[in-house]
Structure formats: structure tokens, C-alpha cells
């Protein structure tokens, strides 16, 4: 395999945390051979008697030929099966931990009570099994599941503990959207990873903590340089940003437009034609792409510019994880052109949550130490507490023993959220919300729809409705840069 030398500086930051001394990072050239996109196995709860078994396990994965790495997966070596559940059903999950350490499995985006949520309070000890019965009561959506164990989420997800969770329902089925899994309905879990000589490495050190682990190699569903064969018709892509920290700025190389049809919470009211789409960690989007012209198409991303001023000043590095545009996945359209399947004009109707019914306003600032100090915020206090306590929300680093907020079941509130130093994907468990405003202005086109995660820096107002109880176990809210979450940028709330 051909390897090229990467920027010494970037490599050392990612690998070591020391700015001066560091390993030389190697990466495969982007002209490397394409590999067929792996599609995770589909497990439909209705074919399993509403019972799905998952085992978190260690294994070895060859991301590059003849080089294997220790990885984690569910029922396999890396990532997990795609789980399909149906609205109205109760699904029993049997989650066994065969790792040598604690884990937990969080159903990201599922509207279920706190004790079923799989956050840090539902730890599964090595050798034991957790059996939550999940009531599926929400509209069709692309969700995901991943480790959420206290303090080790980032490392476990980086190693592979994540998978897709699809909610299906009758309304969505009636639309006739492409839904042949793995054929014209493709899951695309986008991740970046760092490799040395073909083996997966886990970046450590302060820079990895402050900016999150990013890598110089992109992969989709665990496949590097993937190519997907698709039929010559309309195809649905379920995009999930499963990276620890990296932002994607997605567009097709030939600038073809596509239709965005679903946000984190499910179908939009109407399709939105776009030519590019940003996706931050934890965010998802469903899009429809027309491949009927039969031409090959490449979905690309721009460089990840979500780098704090501190990082820029200290290193002169303006972006992480790539320079210029890079291929994420290539598509090869095959077969005969199918009858033009039309993009539906209407997709769904949402109940309109009335912002004037909001009973409370809460403010959250995601702190990054230095920013807090410069802005007179609470970052310094966090730093004084030592270590990585500089990552916090409202000046307080996450504490398992402290409930930060209390909300009432059925209430509507406005949460005003901002982030210091860089953009942070803010995620709330157990709710769907809408973006009401950004920096005092109307929200952008990509802010529409129901969400559970949204990237913010300047203050954004979120209209939150609490529809799920969290009494015996709280819900989390946090930055979905997993290293931020693990190191304090998280809080918890009860709903009763
Ligand atoms: Cu996807 Cu609290 O996480
Ligand atoms: Cu979540
Ligand atoms: Cu963050």
C-alpha cells in the first residue's frame, strides 16, 4: 500500500497532545482502492418476536489489508447491526456486556422514560445483561444507539460501540419512500479515525480532550474508501454523524442537488432541496438522491473548521481532519433507469408547539476554560478544580451525584444555549425540540424540523417539550463532542 507523509504538526497534535514531539502520522493515499461499502446487518424487531439481543464485545478489525486493530462492536467486531423497531410496539432489548469493563447502551433520540434511556445511570457491568422493554411511540425516524458509560463514552464509541436504530411507522410507509434496506435505503455512519501504519490509534492528551479525537481517515460503516452500488433511481441515504468530534460539510462533487426529508426527530413537513449539508456529531439527516442519470457520483466533505481560537493561536492550524474536499463515499449507479419515482410534496404534519405556552426559560453555556476566563465566565473555576474540569456547562463540570435541573412532565420551556470557543453539538435526552432562533434572528433552513441534537455557538433558543418522565433516573443534556461530554460538558435533569 502506498502511504504518504502527513503534516507533522497536525499529526503530533492528534496523536500525542504534545505540540513539539510526536509520532509521524502516516495515511493511505486517497487514490487507494475503493472497497465495497459494508452494510450493517438489519434486525427487524417484528421478525424476532419483539426481542433483540445485543452483545457488546471486543474483536479485531482489518481496516486496511493485513493490518488488524483491536475494536469493539455489538454482535460483531466493529459497530453494530441496524435495529428496526415499529411505532406502537414494545421491544425488549437484551444487552449483554462481554467486555472487560463497564458499558451502557443509550438509544439516542428515542422518547422513552429515563430509566430505559441507557445513559450513565444504567451501567451494565462486565458479564451482566440489561433488559429494558422499550415502548416505541414516536414517528418514523433515523436514530442511533451507542455506549454512554460514565467517563468512557468517547473511547468506547471510537473503538466501535455504535449502531443505527430505525423507527418505522405506517404514515412513513404510505409515502412510498425508498425503503429497501441496503438497496435503495442506505445507512451511512460517518466516522473519522486515526491510523498509524494501518493500525487504529486512539489519540490521547490535552488536544484530543479539548477538541475531541479526530482522525485523518474517513470511513463509512467502518469501510475506508467506500463505494456503494445503487440502482438507477431515487435512493434514500440515512446519514449519521457517528464521529467523536468531527464536523462534515457534505456535498456531491458534481454539485447535484438532493432532497433533505428528515431531521433527527423524523420527517420534515416538506422536502427541502439542498446542495450541501453540515452534519455535526450526533446529528442525522435523511436525504433522497436521484441516481437515474446513471453517472457515478461522489459525496464529499470539506475540511473540518471547527477549531477554537485557542487552538488556532497556539498552533496556526485552522482546520482538523483534512484539507480541501475529500471523498466520503462514491456511488455507482447500476441497472436500468427506473420509472421516475417522485419526491413526495408533503411528508408529515407536526403538532405545532406554541412558543407562547413556554413556562420557563433556562440558559446553558457550554464552557471551554479559556473562553470562560476571557469572557468572564466560570471557566476559571473549572480549571481551578483541576485536570480537565475546564469543560463544563454553566461553570459546573458533570457530577453523577448532582441533578442540575428539574422540569415538569408536559411542560414547554425555552432553553437558550450557547457554546464557547467553537461550535458544540448540544443534545438533550428524552425530548424533541425545535430551534426558535439563532443569535436573535430567525433560524436557518437546516434548523427546521424536530431535533434532539443541534450544533450551536452563538445563542440559540430551543423550544423543548417534556413528554417523558425521568424520576428514578435523570436524563442527560450535553455536548455531543464525546470528549467534551466525558470530561464535564454535561448536565442532568429530572422530569416529573
Ligand atoms: Cu448520543 Cu447522550 O448521547
Ligand atoms: Cu441521547
Ligand atoms: Cu463541545
Amino acid at each position: 500500500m502506498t502511504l504518504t507523509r502527513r503534516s507533522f504538526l497536525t499529526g503530533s497534535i492528534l496523536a500525542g497532545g504534545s505540540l513539539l514531539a510526536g509520532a509521524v502520522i502516516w495515511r493511505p493515499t486517497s487514490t487507494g482502492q475503493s472497497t465495497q461499502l459494508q452494510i450493517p446487518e438489519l434486525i427487524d424487531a417484528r421478525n424476532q418476536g419483539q426481542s433483540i439481543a445485543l452483545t457488546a464485545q471486543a474483536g479485531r478489525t482489518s481496516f486496511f489489508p493485513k493490518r488488524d486493530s483491536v475494536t469493539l462492536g455489538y454482535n460483531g467486531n466493529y459497530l453494530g447491526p441496524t435495529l428496526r423497531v415499529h411505532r406502537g410496539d414494545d421491544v425488549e432489548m437484551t444487552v449483554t456486556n462481554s467486555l472487560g469493563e463497564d458499558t451502557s447502551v443509550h438509544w439516542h433520540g428515542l422518547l422513552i422514560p429515563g430509566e430505559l434511556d441507557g445513559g450513565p445511570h444504567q451501567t451494565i457491568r462486565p458479564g451482566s445483561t440489561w433488559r429494558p422493554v422499550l415502548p416505541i411511540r414516536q414517528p418514523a425516524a433515523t436514530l442511533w444507539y451507542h455506549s454512554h458509560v460514565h467517563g468512557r463514552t468517547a473511547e468506547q464509541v471510537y473503538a466501535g460501540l455504535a449502531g443505527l436504530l430505525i423507527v418505522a411507522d405506517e404514515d412513513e410507509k404510505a409515502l412510498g419512500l425508498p425503503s429497501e434496506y441496503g438497496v435503495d435505503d442506505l445507512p451511512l455512519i460517518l466516522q473519522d479515525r486515526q491510523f498509524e501504519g494501518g493500525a487504529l490509534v486512539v489519540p490521547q492528551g490535552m488536544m484530543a480532550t479539548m477538541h475531541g479525537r479526530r482522525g485523518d481517515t474517513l470511513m463509512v460503516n467502518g469501510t475506508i474508501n467506500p463505494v456503494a452500488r445503487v440502482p438507477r433511481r431515487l435512493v434514500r441515504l440515512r446519514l449519521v454523524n457517528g464521529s467523536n468530534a468531527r464536523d462534515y460539510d457534505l456535498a456531491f462533487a458534481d454539485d447535484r442537488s438532493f432532497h433533505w426529508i428528515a431531521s433527527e426527530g423524523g420527517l420534515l413537513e416538506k422536502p427541502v432541496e439542498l446542495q450541501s449539508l453540515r452534519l455535526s456529531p450526533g446529528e442525522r439527516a435523511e436525504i433522497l438522491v436521484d441516481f437515474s442519470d446513471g453517472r457515478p457520483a461522489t459525496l464529499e466533505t470539506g475540511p473540518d473548521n471547527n477549531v477554537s481560537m485557542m487552538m488556532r493561536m497556539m498552533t496556526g492550524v485552522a482546520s482538523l481532519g483534512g484539507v480541501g474536499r475529500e471523498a466520503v463515499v462514491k456511488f455507482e449507479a447500476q441497472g436500468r433507469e427506473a420509472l421516475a419515482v417522485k419526491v413526495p410534496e408533503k411528508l408529515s404534519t407536526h403538532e405545532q408547539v406554541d412558543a407562547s405556552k413556554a413556562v420557563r426559560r433556562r440558559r446553558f453555556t457550554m464552557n471551554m476554560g479559556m473562553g470562560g476566563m476571557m469572557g468572564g465566565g466560570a471557566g476559571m473555576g473549572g480549571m481551578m478544580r483541576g485536570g480537565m474540569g475546564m469543560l463544563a456547562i454553566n461553570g459546573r463540570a458533570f457530577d453523577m451525584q448532582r441533578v442540575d435541573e428539574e422540569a415538569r412532565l408536559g411542560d414547554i420551556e425555552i432553553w437558550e444555549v450557547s457554546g464557547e470557543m467553537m461550535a458544540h453539538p448540544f443534545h438533550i435526552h428524552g425530548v424533541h425540540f425545535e430551534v426558535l432562533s439563532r443569535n436573535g434572528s430567525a433560524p436557518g433552513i437546516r434548523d427546521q424540523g424536530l431535533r434532539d441534537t443541534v450544533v450551536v455557538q452563538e445563542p440559540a433558543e430551543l423550544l423543548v417539550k417534556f413528554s417523558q418522565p425521568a424520576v428514578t433516573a435523570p436524563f442527560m443534556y450535553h455536548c455531543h463532542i464525546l470528549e467534551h461530554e466525558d470530561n464535564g460538558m454535561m448536565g442532568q435533569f429530572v422530569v416529573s
Side-chain angles (χ1 to χ4, degrees):
M1 177 184 320
T2 336
L3 295 165
T4 51
R5 201 161 227 209
R6 283 279 286 170
S7 148
F8 181 79
L9 184 59
T10 308
S12 64
I13 291 164
L14 288 162
S18 154
L19 296 181
L20 300 172
V24 175
I25 299 301
W26 301 89
R27 74 179 298 217
T29 55
S30 54
T31 52
Q33 270 194 320
S34 296
T35 311
Q36 190 163 345
L37 175 72
Q38 294 177 57
I39 301 292
E41 176 205 2
L42 176 70
I43 299 182
D44 190 312
R46 288 201 171 162
N47 302 333
Q48 308 279 318
Q50 302 293 3
S51 169
I52 294 176
L54 288 178
T55 300
Q57 59 194 65
R60 301 191 76 89
T61 303
S62 297
F63 293 102
F64 292 100
K66 301 201 191 92
R67 274 303 207 135
D68 64 2
S69 309
V70 178
T71 52
L72 304 180
Y74 297 107
N75 302 358
N77 295 325
Y78 187 77
L79 297 177
T82 296
L83 313 180
R84 184 155 66 199
V85 297
H86 301 259
R87 185 179 196 176
D89 292 356
D90 295 328
V91 181
E92 185 193 37
M93 298 289 187
T94 305
V95 189
T96 301
N97 179 5
S98 75
L99 309 173
E101 58 176 308
D102 288 353
T103 193
S104 85
V105 179
H106 168 55
W107 322 105
H108 179 135
L110 212 54
L111 296 176
I112 46 172
E115 65 272 17
L116 306 175
D117 188 50
H121 292 279
Q122 286 90 46
T123 303
I124 313 169
R125 304 261 175 241
S128 62
T129 298
W130 180 51
R131 284 195 181 77
V133 177
L134 310 178
I136 312 299
R137 301 291 183 269
Q138 69 199 76
T142 298
L143 315 178
W144 62 310
Y145 62 98
H146 59 78
S147 163
H148 211 307
V149 67
H150 182 50
R152 299 257 312 142
T153 297
E155 291 212 24
Q156 290 194 356
V157 172
Y158 189 89
L161 288 184
L164 203 73
L165 176 62
I166 295 174
V167 177
D169 73 5
E170 293 303 318
D171 295 344
E172 182 254 1
K173 201 172 164 194
L175 291 170
L177 295 167
S179 39
E180 244 186 283
Y181 181 79
V183 178
D184 63 6
D185 181 352
L186 304 182
L188 300 177
I189 302 173
L190 313 186
Q191 297 181 313
D192 61 324
R193 293 292 182 265
Q194 188 68 28
F195 288 89
E196 270 182 48
L200 186 67
V201 295
V202 187
Q204 301 292 354
M206 180 164 129
M207 282 304 170
T209 303
M210 291 307 281
H211 287 81
R213 291 183 178 86
R214 307 191 205 191
D216 59 12
T217 304
L218 299 182
M219 54 170 79
V220 180
N221 303 342
T223 315
I224 294 168
N225 268 321
V227 58
R229 313 242 145 78
V230 290
R232 282 182 68 176
R233 55 177 194 254
L234 204 60
V235 170
R236 162 155 53 173
L237 306 179
R238 297 177 190 261
L239 300 162
V240 179
N241 184 339
S243 279
N244 282 37
R246 138 147 227 168
D247 256 18
Y248 295 85
D249 169 22
L250 302 166
F252 283 92
D254 61 6
D255 281 328
R256 72 178 63 198
S257 63
F258 52 84
H259 285 89
W260 174 39
I261 57 166
S263 60
E264 288 71 10
L267 292 166
L268 302 172
E269 295 194 342
K270 290 190 201 112
V272 178
E273 190 170 353
L274 297 174
Q275 272 177 307
S276 67
L277 176 147
R278 175 183 180 181
L279 214 57
S280 292
E283 292 186 323
R284 290 92 62 206
E286 289 180 34
I287 62 173
L288 296 178
V289 189
D290 187 354
F291 292 111
S292 61
D293 64 9
R295 292 209 203 97
T298 303
L299 185 65
E300 296 180 330
T301 182
D304 179 2
N305 295 322
N306 193 19
V307 179
S308 74
M309 190 60 95
M310 176 180 67
M311 175 76 141
R312 282 176 220 259
M313 287 186 320
M314 285 168 73
T315 65
V317 172
S319 74
L320 288 170
V323 266
R325 296 197 70 79
E326 246 185 295
V328 174
V329 52
K330 298 190 183 102
F331 296 94
E332 281 173 10
Q334 291 186 327
R336 272 187 293 151
E337 185 177 349
L339 291 175
V341 184
K342 284 227 288 259
V343 177
E345 266 166 44
K346 254 186 99 16
L347 296 165
S348 73
T349 33
H350 292 147
E351 90 174 279
Q352 288 295 333
V353 179
D354 184 353
S356 72
K357 297 255 166 65
V359 296
R360 200 169 290 104
R361 177 179 289 266
R362 300 181 202 253
R363 290 190 178 82
F364 299 92
T365 304
M366 290 177 273
N367 312 115
M368 274 188 82
M370 301 293 285
M373 285 193 322
M374 289 192 272
M380 189 63 178
M383 273 176 87
M384 300 305 282
R385 283 192 294 278
M388 290 299 170
M390 59 180 80
L391 298 172
I393 294 182
N394 291 348
R396 297 197 293 194
F398 178 69
D399 180 346
M400 278 283 265
Q401 311 307 325
R402 184 191 69 232
V403 170
D404 299 277
E405 307 289 337
E406 292 176 27
R408 286 206 1 231
L409 192 62
D411 270 4
I412 295 163
E413 298 188 3
I414 293 174
W415 283 24
E416 197 181 304
V417 182
S418 59
E420 289 173 350
M421 305 290 280
M422 57 192 282
H424 303 264
F426 188 74
H427 169 49
I428 315 177
H429 288 214
V431 302
H432 281 165
F433 57 79
E434 285 173 59
V435 181
L436 281 181
S437 74
R438 279 198 186 263
N439 213 8
S441 312
I445 187 140
R446 275 274 289 132
D447 287 324
Q448 61 188 291
L450 293 169
R451 320 185 62 109
D452 54 57
T453 308
V454 69
V455 66
V456 292
Q457 182 160 8
E458 303 305 332
E461 286 181 306
L462 312 179
L463 188 63
V464 187
K465 186 172 176 186
F466 301 92
S467 64
Q468 296 295 321
V471 182
T472 56
F475 284 133
M476 305 292 133
Y477 54 90
H478 58 88
C479 174
H480 220 287
I481 292 178
L482 299 178
E483 289 74 12
H484 289 181
E485 170 193 332
D486 272 349
N487 291 285
M489 203 180 282
M490 178 155 74
Q492 48 189 343
F493 66 104
V494 290
V495 183
S496 59

